[in-house]
């Protein structure tokens, strides 16, 4: 099964790096959106989730705020 994973991050966020490393180590493909460099994406993210913090991940249609490996793993299709 294919997972649809999008990670919203910034250049300076250590938790963003932790989340991306976790996904990489577990062989999970993802699309990264850098909201520090893409203001339109940042605005869409806030409108969609009501949250300004990063990382945020959309995993198979569900949102995860912050670095939460247990929640991430629970949303991934095996």
């Amino acid at each position: 099964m294919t997972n649809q994973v999008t990670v919203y991050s910034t250049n300076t966020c250590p938790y963003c790096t932790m989340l991306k490393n976790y996904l990489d180590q577990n062989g999970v493909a993802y699309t990264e959106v850098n909201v520090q460099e893409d203001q339109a994406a940042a605005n869409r993210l806030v409108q969609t989730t009501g949250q300004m913090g990063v990382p945020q991940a959309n995993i198979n249609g569900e949102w995860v705020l912050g670095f939460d490996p247990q929640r991430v793993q629970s949303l991934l299709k095996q």
Side-chain angles (χ1 to χ4, degrees):
M1 294 195 137
T2 302
N3 289 292
Q4 298 294 320
V5 181
T6 305
V7 175
Y8 295 83
S9 66
T10 64
N11 296 329
T12 57
C13 165
Y15 292 102
C16 297
T17 301
M18 291 168 64
L19 176 57
K20 292 183 287 185
N21 287 343
Y22 177 81
L23 293 171
D24 289 340
Q25 290 167 359
N26 286 281
V28 178
Y30 61 91
T31 301
E32 181 179 5
V33 177
N34 187 317
V35 295
Q36 185 173 339
E37 297 172 358
D38 186 343
Q39 190 58 49
N43 291 339
R44 283 193 307 273
L45 184 63
V46 172
Q47 289 173 350
T48 302
T49 67
Q51 301 288 329
M52 293 179 66
V54 288
Q56 292 189 56
N58 187 299
I59 301 173
N60 300 317
E62 297 287 331
W63 288 97
V64 179
L65 177 60
F67 177 59
D68 186 346
Q70 291 178 328
R71 174 105 169 104
V72 168
Q73 200 60 45
S74 72
L75 293 173
L76 292 172
K77 297 174 184 170
Q78 303 303 320

